[in-house]
Amino acid sequence: MPVITNGGDAVRTVRGWFRDTTGGLPRAFWYLWTGTLINRLGSFVLVFLAIYLTQERGFSASQAGLVLGLWGVGGAVGTTVGGTLADRWGRRPTLLTAHLGAATMMLALGLARPLWAVALGALLLGTFAEAARPAFGAMMIDVVPEKDRLRAFSLNYWAINLGFACAAVLAGLAAQAGYLLLFVVDAATTLITALIIFTRVKETRTTSAAAVAKGDAAPRGALRTILTDRVYLGFVALNLFAALVFLQHISMLPIAMGDSGLTPATYGSVIALNGVLIVVGQLFVPRLIKGRSRSHVLALASLVMGLGFGLTAFAGTAWFYGVTVLIWTLGEMLNSPSNSTLIAELSPAALRGRYQGVFSLSWQIAGAAAPILGGLVREHVGNGALWLGCAAIGAVTAVAHLVSGPARERRAAQLRTAAVPVRPVTVIQPPAPEAAEAAATAPAEPVPARS
């Protein structure tokens, strides 16, 4: 009987953990979550684009890096425009336009043949695909209360990586049937996501006159406000350095594994470990880091990611590459939820779309620079120098997080205080002498009995 009792306690513990992790979140969040999962299940192209360009199309590593870099350039334009449109035009129309444009350009890229056409397709695809990111982030902050954002962002990140893990394996198999299939499936899942948003998610941007009176409408000089926010820009700069390291797994890692004699399917299986580990462990991360210093968590994440990528310099077999992926994935798991909650707390309500856009811009700059810099370092200095350089960047970024962390937390506390509505104080004036005398002589009204 004690075994049954222990088993029942375990079941209740699991149910309680599941309820604490997923319960109480608004319906709009779950529609966004579902769209994220479906979209990521078909995110084949970016994972295999470097292999497609070098092995299927015969482009050099530098040419492949240029195409991936143009994807990042387009993404930089997209996030900037998307963030502005999310605040001015609305989250929902921005998301719809971005997804429809991305699906169209996905098919165009798959059909492009000359290098200039492939490069142009990557540029436009990056523009549309990344224009959705700030609007999605702003909508997520709009619909989820502050107390639930850590687990909401963790759940959404979990969905991203569940889809990514499946997509990496499926893409390796689909590539054997023809690379065009990757582009078609990716476009189809993007369209399904657009359909979910169109039919199920309402606009969340506040545009009423009351909102303007409360300060929830975007003020003039918004760009100047962001450009003078040194605390936030410092945080964005640190994310840029982390992204320069992290995005090597899309650009240079598949090329390095190919040079080690490993097939695209092997790369797909190895990189899928990233998504599998996140799917298994990410939902436990919020409880692990809750109440801990975010600066310390981000510093540790930078160190672990740097270590994982640094060890790639010594890898030559599939299992060794797999170990490096598991190590830097642990750093990624610590980094993501802390980053997301900080962005939300450092963004004024009236500028959420623009602040999301500026943060996403760091990813797009890294998306443009990482493959180009990685390709140049690899060709002119060597494979080992590339990965050891990633480790050095991770260490420097960790120190910078420890130094800048207190200023970020002070700014977040200031914005939380400013966001608390001030209740008007009712001042009770003493009655005039005549009114006081009348009240004293008036008969008392009967008090109704409590039911």
Side-chain angles (χ1 to χ4, degrees):
M1 293 301 170
V3 175
I4 297 177
T5 302
N6 291 338
D9 291 342
V11 170
R12 284 192 294 271
T13 300
V14 172
R15 287 177 178 173
W17 166 83
F18 186 78
R19 183 175 59 253
D20 293 342
T21 303
T22 62
L25 293 171
R27 181 177 299 179
F29 164 79
W30 289 112
Y31 287 132
L32 293 171
W33 183 90
T34 303
T36 296
L37 178 60
I38 293 174
N39 196 11
R40 292 293 175 162
L41 282 171
S43 59
F44 294 163
V45 171
L46 189 57
V47 177
F48 274 76
L49 187 57
I51 296 176
Y52 166 73
L53 294 173
T54 54
Q55 297 188 11
E56 178 73 8
R57 302 301 310 281
F59 296 136
S60 67
S62 297
Q63 289 173 325
L66 174 63
V67 172
L68 288 168
L70 287 174
W71 180 306
V73 171
V77 176
T79 53
T80 304
V81 175
T84 301
L85 290 178
D87 285 336
R88 290 187 175 181
W89 190 19
R91 315 333 187 185
R92 189 169 177 263
T94 302
L95 283 171
L96 287 172
T97 303
H99 283 312
L100 293 175
T104 302
M105 295 313 305
M106 188 74 68
L107 294 176
L109 180 60
L111 297 172
R113 287 295 172 262
L115 177 60
W116 70 265
V118 173
L120 179 61
L123 176 69
L124 294 176
L125 177 57
T127 302
F128 281 107
E130 299 303 327
R133 189 185 295 269
F136 184 91
M139 182 173 277
M140 187 78 73
I141 298 172
D142 291 341
V143 302
V144 178
E146 180 181 344
K147 63 183 179 63
D148 296 325
R149 284 175 186 160
L150 178 61
R151 60 192 182 98
F153 283 122
S154 294
L155 283 167
N156 190 66
Y157 194 63
W158 184 82
I160 289 173
N161 285 276
L162 175 61
F164 176 78
C166 297
V169 176
L170 294 175
L173 300 175
Q176 299 176 4
Y179 279 95
L180 181 60
L181 181 61
L182 303 182
F183 294 90
V184 172
V185 174
D186 206 333
T189 55
T190 303
L191 287 175
I192 293 174
T193 302
L195 182 63
I196 292 174
I197 295 172
F198 180 75
T199 57
R200 296 296 181 183
V201 182
K202 296 181 179 180
E203 177 57 54
T204 61
R205 181 177 66 106
T206 305
T207 57
S208 65
V212 174
K214 291 189 330 184
D216 289 339
R220 295 181 179 180
L223 180 60
R224 184 186 310 153
T225 300
I226 298 174
L227 293 179
T228 56
D229 191 342
R230 291 182 295 178
V231 172
Y232 187 75
L233 292 180
F235 177 58
V236 171
L238 292 181
N239 187 74
L240 171 61
F241 284 107
L244 285 172
V245 173
F246 178 73
L247 291 179
Q248 298 300 327
H249 82 280
I250 295 176
S251 55
M252 292 300 110
L253 181 59
I255 296 175
M257 291 183 66
D259 289 347
S260 298
L262 302 174
T263 65
T266 302
Y267 166 72
S269 299
V270 168
I271 203 65
L273 293 173
N274 168 260
V276 170
L277 181 57
I278 292 175
V279 168
V280 172
Q282 186 66 43
L283 296 183
F284 298 95
V285 171
R287 182 168 294 183
L288 178 66
I289 66 176
K290 186 176 181 180
R292 300 183 185 275
S293 167
R294 281 184 291 201
S295 302
H296 293 171
V297 172
L298 289 171
L300 178 61
S302 298
L303 280 176
V304 175
M305 279 199 291
L307 174 63
F309 280 100
L311 288 175
T312 309
F314 309 102
T317 60
W319 72 266
F320 201 149
Y321 280 111
V323 170
T324 66
V325 169
L326 291 176
I327 292 174
W328 56 254
T329 297
L330 291 174
E332 180 190 358
M333 292 167 65
L334 294 172
N335 182 77
S336 177
S338 299
N339 254 359
S340 298
T341 54
L342 261 177
I343 300 165
E345 292 188 29
L346 294 175
S347 304
L351 300 175
R352 280 174 182 163
R354 289 174 173 86
Y355 267 67
Q356 289 282 334
V358 170
F359 184 80
S360 297
L361 185 61
S362 66
W363 281 101
Q364 305 318 315
I365 294 174
I372 297 174
L373 293 176
L376 290 174
V377 171
R378 195 171 183 278
E379 287 187 11
H380 297 287
V381 185
N383 184 66
L386 169 65
W387 302 114
L388 293 177
C390 289
I393 293 174
V396 172
T397 304
V399 174
H401 273 301
L402 294 177
V403 173
S404 61
R408 289 197 300 260
E409 295 300 334
R410 287 194 297 269
R411 174 60 57 82
Q414 290 172 359
L415 289 175
R416 281 195 299 269
T417 303
V420 176
V422 180
R423 295 184 178 180
V425 179
T426 303
V427 179
I428 302 177
Q429 298 288 346
E434 296 83 358
E437 183 179 355
T441 58
E445 293 184 2
V447 179
R450 296 182 182 270
S451 57

